[in-house]
């Protein structure tokens, strides 16, 4: 059914309500007696709490840690040896450990009144030295963030390889120190939660903007001491997540506790300043890398040390160590080499706790390895594209086990690089560079290739030692009495179009009309358990579950249809949105009517089957399927100002079978724009006392339409041998490659001036400073 099934560019089911302003987000919910909550937050990054004092007469409307009776802290432990767990209280106790940490919840009829109450809370905190720089935080004499720890390290890991032999024999050695900036996620809708007590069901009902509703129910149960059967979590429309909404939040606990104890509805909605201060929590990496290569630039080995500033606490369930673990495991990227040594440090700092962000460490490691590839190319005097192409894993090597044991299932990495180079006319850019630009700007071209493990399975997550390990993803499909189809899955849609693509999978299996399919996602009362939407797992896992359940439903429909049409089961075929055998046909409504309304027409053995099916699914090999892409950027750099303009940009992805190419392109485009922000604009800096210096959108710059060229897209479809329909994940990919491609293009433009940018975002200030420093060094050498 290519017209509506897998491979079709059908319009998204979600778009009608969103484009007409009919979506229902946490902020749209209305409820009698609803109270709004604002949080009094710490203005210090590190300090010992002496007192949090309520004004007289406010005991019932201001809640502090002393009031949260029998509430457990967020506790994300790991089975990995050496991991240090942290108690993350919903409201701070003992100490504050980052600016923005919640101290008190203030309740009123309106948010404005609640904020006024928050201002009236008196806070007495003894300020302590703040630990801001992750490298300094590793020092033996650094102030301790957690007093019962011996140091500030959540975890140290290592991968051992025989680097010493390369030190002696490799003809080319390239060393770089690289940094990535700390960022916010900036979904259009920030965090938000509304909770109330349902007296009829005798349940705590929590509406929350989350990617992982079933896991949030588990987390709330653990922290509140309430059985999971007494909690219902409902995710309404979610205005973007990007990983920010896939962990248990302190605010969710407080709002749920208020509803549970007062039996009245309460709501909190994050404002943008809260997001920029308490949510500045991703992608702050430091790399020290040495690459060894032969005379042609063939990569022989890597020696790396990676330090990640993971903030003050470990988040549940992914812990504080997911980022560094992913960084160490994925730094080798799509390249074929055999020697690798890497040490990673997950460092506690006085900043908000680290949350997984789109791509989880891969934007950083892609930036690092891609800059190293270009540095090797410059060292051996070759075009970076040629060196990159020779080092990529070849299609003839697939499936390929890389140096860290990643099992690359399929693909043609060099083909994606070749295609993307054609989209930006790389030879034409090289020809253009031979003559000066009329406006004095310098032109550069850069490439970046990555491979991304998506839909990680049980073995992978179990090896990371996290508290919640995904297993089989489940989905339920049900034929209705009038011939419609209902799909229920525990995963949730956060903008990636799952209502549409899951429908398309069912259409592919059953031949039913796309418009007759309805999808319910996430509600813990009506959907099978799922660990949620993250790691580009939606279509591989939930899509596979819908496919399997639809196949079983098709078998049952075929049995009923064969009886009604007096033929064999194998004679039944699904065509033209009907059920046919020979010259006769039935509608899906005929099947529904027979099963639900006229069962006397059916034999007894058919009556036991049912028109509702729940099936579980995980790929044959559950270590993940590997998508990949190559990106290319053409930039113009103004050497007088440091300002960069992206003149051209292209991306070629391979996510296996594209269920809906339009949605795939939307995901790649959206991710690419985020990646441009990572490369050039977005950063959450802190001063030495731990104060965030970007607390409004005047200080934190997001890319806009004027910062972007028309982005060209290309596709390769290499089916995964392990997943249903050969599908691979695509949700994170677009955000991974842009920093490497763009900064490589900047460095290509500036290479004649001896300038190399090694830190992102590559702001005009950093670029101009590097130009001036290079000029000063050249003048000093000349004199």
């Amino acid at each position: 059914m290519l017209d509506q099934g897998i491979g079709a560019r059908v319009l998204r089911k979600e778009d009608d309500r969103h484009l007409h302003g009919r979506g229902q987000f946490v902020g749209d919910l209305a409820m009698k007696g609803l109270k709004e909550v604002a949080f009094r937050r710490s203005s210090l990054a590190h300090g010992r709490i002496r007192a949090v004092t309520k004004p007289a007469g406010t005991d019932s409307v201001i809640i502090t840690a002393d009031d949260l009776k029998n509430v457990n802290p967020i506790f994300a432990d790991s089975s990995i040896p050496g991991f240090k767990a942290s108690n993350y209280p919903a409201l701070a106790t003992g100490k504050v450990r980052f600016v923005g940490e919640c101290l008190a919840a203030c309740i009123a009829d309106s948010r404005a009144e609640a904020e006024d109450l928050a201002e009236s809370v008196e806070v007495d905190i003894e300020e302590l030295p703040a630990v801001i720089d992750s490298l300094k935080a590793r020092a033996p004499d650094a102030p301790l963030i957690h007093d019962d720890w011996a140091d500030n390290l959540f975890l140290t890991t290592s991968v051992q390889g025989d680097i010493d032999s390369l030190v002696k024999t490799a003809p080319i050695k390239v060393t770089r120190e690289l940094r990535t900036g700390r960022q916010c996620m900036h979904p259009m809708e920030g965090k938000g939660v509304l909770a109330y007590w349902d007296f009829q069901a005798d349940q705590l009902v929590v509406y929350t903007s989350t990617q992982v509703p079933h896991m949030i129910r588990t987390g709330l149960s653990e922290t509140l001491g309430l059985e999971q059967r007494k909690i219902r979590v409902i995710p309404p429309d979610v205005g973007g997540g990007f990983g920010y909404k896939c962990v248990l939040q302190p605010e969710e606990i407080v709002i749920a506790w208020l509803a549970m104890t007062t039996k009245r509805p309460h709501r909190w909605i994050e404002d943008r300043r809260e997001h920029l201060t308490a949510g500045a929590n991703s992608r702050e990496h430091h790399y020290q890398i040495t690459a060894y290569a032969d005379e042609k630039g063939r990569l022989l080995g890597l020696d790396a040390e990676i330090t990640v500033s993971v903030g003050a606490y470990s988040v549940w369930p992914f812990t504080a160590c997911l980022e560094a673990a992913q960084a160490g495991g994925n730094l080798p990227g799509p390249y074929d080499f055999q020697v690798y040594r890497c040490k990673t440090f997950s460092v506690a700092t006085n900043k908000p706790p680290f949350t997984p962000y789109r791509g989880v460490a891969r934007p950083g490691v892609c930036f690092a390895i891609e800059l190293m590839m270009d540095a090797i190319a410059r060292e051996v005097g070759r075009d970076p594209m040629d060196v990159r192409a020779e080092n990529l894993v070849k299609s003839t090597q697939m499936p390929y086990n890389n140096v860290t044991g990643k099992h690359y299932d399929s693909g043609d990495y060099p083909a994606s690089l070749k295609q993307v180079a054609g989209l930006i006319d790389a030879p034409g850019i090289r020809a253009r560079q031979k003559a000066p630009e009329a406006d004095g700007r310098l032109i550069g071209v850069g490439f970046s290739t990555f491979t991304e493990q998506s839909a990680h399975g049980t073995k992978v997550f179990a090896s990371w030692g996290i508290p919640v390990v995904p297993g089989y993803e489940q989905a339920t499909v049900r034929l209705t009495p009038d011939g419609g189809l209902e799909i229920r899955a525990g995963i949730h849609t956060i903008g990636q179009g799952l209502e549409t693509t899951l429908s398309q999978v069912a259409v592919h299996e059953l031949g039913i009309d796309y418009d007759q399919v309805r999808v319910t996602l996430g509600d813990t009362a009506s959907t099978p358990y799922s660990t949620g939407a993250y790691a580009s797992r939606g279509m591989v896992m939930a899509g596979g579950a819908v496919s399997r359940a639809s196949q079983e439903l098709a078998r049952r429909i075929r049995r009923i249809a064969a009886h009604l049409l007096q033929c064999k089961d194998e004679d039944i075929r699904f065509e033209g949105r009907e059920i046919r055998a020979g010259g006769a046909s039935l509608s899906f409504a005929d099947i529904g009517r027979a099963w639900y309304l006229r069962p006397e027409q059916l034999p007894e053995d058919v009556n036991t089957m049912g028109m509702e099916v729940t099936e579980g699914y995980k790929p044959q090999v559950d270590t993940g399927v590997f998508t990949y892409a190559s990106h290319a950027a053409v930039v113009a750099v103004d050497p007088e100002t440091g300002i960069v303009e992206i003149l051209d940009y292209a991306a070629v992805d391979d996510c296996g079978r594209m269920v809906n190419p339009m949605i795939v392109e939307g995901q790649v485009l959206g991710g690419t724009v985020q990646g441009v922000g990572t490369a050039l604009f977005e950063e959450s800096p802190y001063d030495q006392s731990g104060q965030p210096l970007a607390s409004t959108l005047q200080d934190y710059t997001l890319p806009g339409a004027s910062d972007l060229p028309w982005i060209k897209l290309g596709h390769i479809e290499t089916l995964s041998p392990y997943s249903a329909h050969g599908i691979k994940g695509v949700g994170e990919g677009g955000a991974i490659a842009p920093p490497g491609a763009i900064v490589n293009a900047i460095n290509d433009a500036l290479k004649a001036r001896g300038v190399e940018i090694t830190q992102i975002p590559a702001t005009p200030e950093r670029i101009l400073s590097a130009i001036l420093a290079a000029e000063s060094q050249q003048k000093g050498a000349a004199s």
Side-chain angles (χ1 to χ4, degrees):
M1 294 292 294
L2 275 180
D3 59 333
Q4 293 184 323
I6 292 175
R9 291 176 175 267
V10 297
L11 296 179
R12 301 197 328 165
K13 287 180 177 286
E14 301 88 340
D15 287 350
D16 181 68
R17 67 178 185 272
H18 291 315
L19 292 174
H20 288 90
R22 296 170 186 152
Q24 190 173 60
F25 301 87
V26 172
D28 296 314
L29 301 175
M31 190 166 291
K32 183 179 179 180
L34 178 64
K35 295 292 184 179
E36 302 287 352
V37 177
F39 285 91
R40 177 71 158 90
R41 297 177 181 272
S42 173
S43 59
L44 295 176
H46 196 196
R48 206 169 304 281
I49 300 172
R50 293 193 183 107
V52 178
T53 306
K54 309 174 188 180
T58 61
D59 278 352
S60 64
V61 293
I62 297 179
I63 305 301
T64 65
D66 291 339
D67 300 307
L68 291 181
K69 305 299 184 185
N70 302 315
V71 174
N72 298 314
I74 297 170
F75 185 74
D77 204 356
S78 172
S79 60
I80 298 176
F83 176 85
K84 299 189 190 77
S86 60
N87 284 324
Y88 183 8
L91 296 176
T93 58
K95 287 173 72 172
V96 292
R97 294 179 173 87
F98 64 93
V99 171
E101 186 169 2
C102 297
L103 290 165
C106 303
I107 308 158
D109 291 331
S110 70
R111 174 61 180 254
E113 292 172 291
E115 289 179 353
D116 288 343
L117 268 179
E119 289 294 323
S120 72
V121 177
E122 294 183 9
V123 177
D124 183 8
I125 298 176
E126 175 193 357
E127 187 169 8
L128 300 172
V131 183
I132 301 306
D133 183 276
S134 59
L135 297 182
K136 293 178 180 178
R138 287 170 46 188
D141 59 347
L144 292 177
I145 293 174
H146 297 279
D147 296 341
D148 56 338
W149 292 10
D151 53 33
N152 289 315
L153 296 175
F154 276 100
L155 184 67
T156 301
T157 66
S158 62
V159 177
Q160 297 298 327
D162 186 17
I163 288 292
D164 293 337
S165 61
L166 289 181
V167 172
K168 300 173 184 176
T169 61
I172 300 297
K173 173 184 173 183
V174 177
T175 299
R176 293 293 185 273
E177 182 179 8
L178 307 161
R179 289 180 181 267
T180 66
R182 197 174 192 88
Q183 286 185 252
C184 292
M185 282 74 156
H186 281 286
M188 292 182 70
E189 178 205 26
K191 292 185 292 186
V193 56
L194 182 154
Y196 71 94
W197 191 265
D198 183 336
F199 290 96
Q200 182 181 22
D202 194 28
Q203 274 187 323
L204 172 67
V205 179
V206 181
Y207 283 88
T208 182
S209 183
T210 183
Q211 301 170 230
V212 290
H214 287 268
M215 284 208 294
I216 295 303
R217 182 174 70 162
T218 299
L220 289 175
S221 174
E222 291 182 4
T223 54
L224 298 176
L226 191 62
E227 294 172 326
Q228 291 194 44
R229 65 183 178 83
K230 301 275 283 186
I231 303 173
R232 179 185 181 185
V233 173
I234 306 172
D237 282 324
V238 173
F242 308 127
Y244 185 54
K245 300 175 183 176
C246 71
V247 300
L248 180 64
Q249 309 284 356
E251 297 90 351
E252 287 173 320
I253 298 170
V254 173
I255 298 300
W257 180 87
L258 285 168
M260 181 180 72
T261 55
T262 69
K263 300 300 189 287
R264 298 187 65 178
H266 292 75
R267 173 170 59 190
W268 167 76
I269 297 175
E270 179 184 63
D271 66 27
R272 198 53 57 174
R273 186 182 290 273
E274 286 176 304
H275 180 74
L276 283 161
T277 53
N281 56 4
S282 67
R283 292 186 180 163
E284 186 178 1
H285 297 191
H286 175 275
Y287 297 86
Q288 187 71 37
I289 305 179
T290 299
Y292 299 91
D294 66 15
E295 295 90 341
K296 291 190 64 181
R298 190 76 167 83
L299 185 60
L300 303 174
L302 280 180
D303 190 8
E305 186 176 283
I306 305 172
T307 302
V308 182
S309 173
V310 297
Y313 298 104
S314 195
V315 296
W316 186 93
F318 293 105
T319 80
C321 301
L322 178 66
E323 188 83 5
Q326 290 277 53
N330 287 286
L331 181 61
Y335 297 108
D336 176 17
F337 64 96
Q338 302 304 316
V339 182
Y340 180 57
R341 184 170 69 183
C342 181
K343 195 168 187 178
T344 73
F345 300 89
S346 298
V347 184
T349 52
N350 289 120
K351 295 176 182 178
F354 228 65
T355 304
Y357 181 21
R358 196 174 194 174
V360 187
R362 294 175 189 84
V365 298
C366 181
F367 167 75
I369 189 66
E370 292 304 300
L371 260 65
M372 294 304 295
M373 296 306 300
D374 271 38
I376 291 169
R378 286 192 292 272
E379 186 72 18
V380 300
R382 298 184 65 200
D383 190 298
M385 181 181 159
D386 295 335
V387 170
R388 184 170 280 103
E390 289 181 13
N391 279 286
L392 290 171
V393 176
K394 308 298 187 290
S395 61
T396 54
Q397 296 174 273
M398 294 293 181
Y400 175 84
N401 293 320
N402 86 336
V403 70
T404 62
K406 303 290 185 187
H407 182 68
Y408 298 166
D409 56 309
S410 58
D412 191 339
Y413 303 166
S416 70
L417 181 63
K418 182 178 180 180
Q419 187 179 148
V420 84
L423 288 175
I424 55 118
D425 185 19
I429 298 301
R430 290 300 184 210
R432 178 177 176 179
Q433 287 177 316
K434 294 177 181 178
E437 296 290 311
D439 58 8
R441 295 191 299 175
L442 305 172
I443 305 299
V445 60
F447 298 92
S448 182
T449 300
F450 70 88
T451 185
E452 181 200 3
Q453 186 179 20
S454 63
H456 317 63
T458 300
K459 292 178 183 177
V460 175
F461 278 97
S463 70
W464 292 342
I466 67 172
V468 179
V469 176
Y472 281 85
E473 189 77 7
Q474 297 180 93
T476 299
V477 298
R478 178 170 64 188
L479 188 71
T480 63
D482 61 355
L485 187 75
E486 295 176 344
I487 297 173
R488 297 196 301 274
I491 200 167
H492 196 51
T493 182
I494 51 175
Q496 76 278 49
L498 281 178
E499 293 175 36
T500 299
T501 47
L502 293 180
S503 297
Q504 289 182 257
V505 170
V507 168
H508 178 88
E509 298 291 1
L510 292 165
I512 198 167
D513 188 342
Y514 171 78
D515 292 330
Q516 298 300 310
V517 182
R518 184 180 184 276
V519 179
T520 298
L521 300 173
D523 187 338
T524 61
S526 61
T527 63
Y529 195 93
S530 168
T531 56
Y534 57 90
S536 297
R537 68 191 301 273
M539 281 315 299
V540 177
M541 302 299 289
V546 169
S547 180
R548 182 166 291 177
S550 297
Q551 289 169 5
E552 172 58 22
L553 183 61
R555 186 187 71 81
R556 298 182 185 187
I557 291 172
R558 189 176 283 111
R559 178 73 185 88
I560 292 174
H563 174 76
L564 295 176
L565 294 176
Q566 297 298 296
C567 66
K568 296 178 180 179
D569 291 10
E570 54 267 30
D571 294 335
I572 298 294
R573 61 190 190 278
F574 298 96
E575 290 180 358
R577 302 170 195 172
E578 291 184 325
I579 303 151
R580 297 178 178 177
S585 67
L586 295 168
S587 68
F588 285 90
D590 292 329
I591 303 297
R593 188 180 304 110
W595 169 255
Y596 293 102
L597 306 179
R598 299 300 304 272
E600 77 278 6
Q601 297 178 357
L602 305 178
E604 287 298 323
D605 63 330
V606 170
N607 285 344
T608 64
M609 295 194 306
M611 289 291 103
E612 180 171 324
V613 179
T614 299
E615 288 283 344
Y617 172 82
K618 65 178 180 180
Q620 298 172 31
V621 176
D622 78 342
T623 52
V625 293
F626 282 81
T627 185
Y628 63 95
S630 288
H631 288 214
V634 181
V635 304
V637 182
D638 187 339
E640 301 299 320
T641 64
I643 293 174
V644 174
E645 180 186 359
I646 303 175
L647 302 177
D648 199 2
Y649 199 97
V652 173
D653 70 275
D654 184 348
C655 61
R657 178 71 56 79
M658 290 189 286
V659 177
N660 187 319
M662 180 180 65
I663 287 180
V664 169
E665 290 165 2
Q667 289 292 296
V668 174
L669 287 170
T672 298
V673 172
Q674 283 185 308
V676 170
T678 301
L680 296 177
F681 302 108
E682 296 184 48
E683 185 172 23
S684 297
Y686 289 76
D687 68 15
Q688 289 306 302
S689 64
Q691 292 296 322
L693 301 179
S695 61
T696 73
L697 290 176
Q698 283 187 307
D699 306 308
Y700 190 102
T701 305
L702 294 167
S706 61
D707 302 308
L708 303 163
W710 183 265
I711 298 171
K712 302 169 182 174
L713 301 179
H715 303 289
I716 297 172
E717 278 191 305
T718 307
L719 306 191
S720 173
Y722 305 135
S723 64
H725 309 292
I727 298 168
K728 307 174 187 177
V730 74
E732 298 171 281
I736 294 172
I742 291 169
V743 176
N744 276 336
I746 293 170
N747 288 337
D748 184 59
L750 296 174
K751 65 182 178 183
R753 300 196 174 208
V755 175
E756 185 176 2
I757 303 300
T758 57
Q759 182 174 358
I760 50 176
T763 60
E765 180 183 11
R766 286 192 175 119
I767 292 172
L768 189 57
S769 295
I771 291 171
L772 294 175
E775 290 176 352
S776 176
Q777 186 176 12
Q778 290 164 6
K779 288 178 182 178
S783 62

